[in-house]
Amino acid sequence: MATTAEYELGEFTFPRGWFMIAESAKVTDTPQGVKFFGQEFALYRGKQSGKVILLDAYCPHMGTHLGRNSTSYVSMDGAVEGDSIRCPYHAWRFGPDGKCNQIPYSTGPIPPAAKVRAWQVQEHMGAVFVWHDPEGGEPDYELPVIPECGDPSWVPIAFDDLGVVNCHTQEILDNITDVAHFGPIHGSTTKYFENEFRGQVAVQRMGGGHRTLTTEGGPLLETTATYTGPSLLITKMTGTHDSYIYIAHTPVDDGSAYVWHGLMVKSPTGQPAYTEQDVEIARQYQAMALAAFAQDFEVWKYKRPNIRGLYVQGDGPFLKQRAWYRQFYNPRSMRDEILKPVEGIYHARGMDGAPTTQAA
Ligand code: FES
Ligand SMILES: [Fe+2]
């Protein structure tokens, strides 16, 4: 694994953006410990509001982890009270704003330093996201909405939790520009391919055959894969079934990432409201999509870092993509300067662009 500094991405070790940290369904009123951006956090769902709360992990009293305990009587009796959480060691209680609001055994005042940082989180399409910004600013973009989310004719998203991969997120980002891997890795016969970079968005448009996701002589598999920010990739796919692939990756340490995969599928049997049979077919299709993603994942797991690739004609606009990714590792004030030489549409040499767009 290599670090952000080795890829020369910018002055921040971890990027700015919205990052998935959990599946919504897995966040309950039992606190859990999670690690992202090289830091420990406590994550739980408030009993009173039902809202997800993310706090810095360590209690200011004596440094106990608020999210990694199961044997204290505080934990066994339920550490979450209303929207507050009690430390398992001496039972100080912290509100959703991170401020200590009760010290059960002390009659003196609560010291102002008795607080932990509370992070900005939101639940979005079945997942929990945190806003991470080394400059401490407010979000400068919104998470994308899949228009069919909540439509009864679509089988809702289900997630595959892929855990930690020991490679820098840059190697995962590279995938969006990697036109030449589709044939060897996925068995695709690429008919057209292009990338577009605009602001915080990076797009890949591709069409062709695919050995696992469509049948021989079957419909053309057409995908539009869109990064909104540095970590969430949503791919609209038409082929055997209309679907959206959801891939989210969040840095754990400098050089590793937590990865989720998910799929939303339009009722395969064409029902206005999806049925159990649709769910079954959708899950089989998801397993195939996951198998396709696992083909990439296996490479990332074992490869050495690609700090400076030996790129040749036909490789796709890797350097543009890496330059685009730098916007998230540098102060916002540098964004325009970073994006100026990057924004536009790029075709891989020898490959047609998408039928719906024009070359820049
Ligand atoms: S260490 Fe948390 S209450 Fe003492
Ligand atoms: Fe791939």
Side-chain angles (χ1 to χ4, degrees):
M1 83 187 199
T3 61
T4 294
E6 287 172 272
Y7 291 97
E8 295 177 10
L9 282 164
E11 63 180 78
F12 308 142
T13 304
F14 298 107
R16 173 180 58 251
W18 284 108
F19 293 87
M20 180 167 169
I21 56 167
E23 296 168 40
S24 275
K26 292 197 179 162
V27 182
T28 67
D29 56 22
T30 300
Q32 51 186 293
V34 292
K35 185 182 188 189
F36 297 105
F37 316 113
Q39 293 175 54
E40 284 284 330
F41 302 92
L43 175 67
Y44 65 97
R45 190 177 291 282
K47 276 186 183 158
Q48 193 185 323
S49 65
K51 284 197 180 127
V52 173
I53 295 155
L54 183 74
L55 303 177
D56 270 357
Y58 299 117
C59 177
H61 183 214
M62 295 190 193
T64 298
H65 199 303
L66 299 172
R68 296 194 193 269
N69 186 281
S70 59
T71 54
S72 158
Y73 279 100
V74 167
S75 309
M76 289 194 285
D77 294 343
V80 174
E81 288 173 20
D83 284 349
S84 297
I85 181 174
R86 263 191 208 284
C87 177
Y89 213 11
H90 315 95
W92 289 24
R93 193 179 66 191
F94 299 87
D97 58 358
K99 287 191 186 130
C100 180
N101 55 30
Q102 193 199 49
I103 301 176
Y105 56 87
S106 174
T107 48
I110 296 173
K115 59 174 195 278
V116 289
R117 178 170 176 185
W119 290 74
Q120 185 173 352
V121 291
Q122 66 164 304
E123 286 191 87
H124 186 76
M125 296 194 299
V128 177
F129 289 84
V130 64
W131 174 253
H132 179 264
D133 183 355
E135 292 176 284
E138 287 298 307
D140 55 5
Y141 69 90
E142 284 179 17
L143 285 165
V145 176
I146 297 176
E148 293 86 347
C149 191
D151 180 330
S153 69
W154 282 69
V155 179
I157 193 163
F159 289 102
D160 302 298
D161 182 331
L162 301 180
V164 178
V165 61
N166 279 317
C167 80
H168 193 280
T169 49
Q170 175 63 82
E171 304 276 344
I172 305 175
L173 257 294
D174 281 349
N175 207 242
I176 198 165
T177 21
D178 195 349
V179 56
H181 91 294
F182 279 105
I185 278 271
H186 302 300
S188 322
T189 41
T190 314
K191 294 225 164 30
Y192 66 83
F193 183 95
E194 72 181 23
N195 286 116
E196 180 171 0
F197 304 101
R198 301 266 175 227
Q200 79 278 359
V201 172
V203 188
Q204 175 204 78
R205 299 185 189 90
M206 195 197 73
H210 195 289
R211 242 151 83 173
T212 38
L213 286 175
T214 186
T215 42
E216 180 115 32
L220 198 67
L221 185 77
E222 296 192 273
T223 59
T224 304
T226 307
Y227 265 106
T228 307
S231 82
L232 177 60
L233 178 69
I234 294 180
T235 302
K236 185 171 185 172
M237 182 160 77
T238 58
T240 307
H241 306 297
D242 285 350
S243 59
Y244 286 93
I245 308 172
Y246 194 102
I247 293 170
H249 49 81
T250 302
V252 173
D253 278 308
D254 188 7
S256 65
Y258 206 102
V259 184
W260 289 269
H261 171 269
L263 202 73
M264 231 179 91
V265 184
K266 186 172 184 168
S267 162
T269 60
Q271 303 301 313
Y274 71 87
T275 62
E276 269 178 35
Q277 196 194 350
D278 285 321
V279 174
E280 204 172 301
I281 300 169
R283 294 298 164 255
Q284 284 165 13
Y285 198 53
Q286 175 153 356
M288 285 160 73
L290 180 61
F293 186 53
Q295 291 170 318
D296 293 305
F297 207 83
E298 188 183 19
V299 172
W300 299 333
K301 204 164 153 191
Y302 297 110
K303 75 191 297 303
R304 72 154 169 75
N306 172 30
I307 305 289
R308 272 171 208 83
L310 183 61
Y311 302 115
V312 296
Q313 269 187 20
D315 259 338
F318 280 86
L319 300 179
K320 295 285 181 193
Q321 170 265 122
R322 287 190 166 201
W324 171 84
Y325 192 39
R326 294 182 79 246
Q327 69 179 293
F328 306 110
Y329 287 87
N330 287 286
R332 292 175 199 218
S333 56
M334 285 173 65
R335 182 169 43 201
D336 290 352
E337 182 193 328
I338 290 171
L339 286 176
K340 212 167 167 196
V342 168
E343 287 188 308
I345 297 178
Y346 302 91
H347 294 176
R349 208 167 281 234
M351 187 80 62
D352 284 343
T356 48
T357 49
Q358 293 251 307

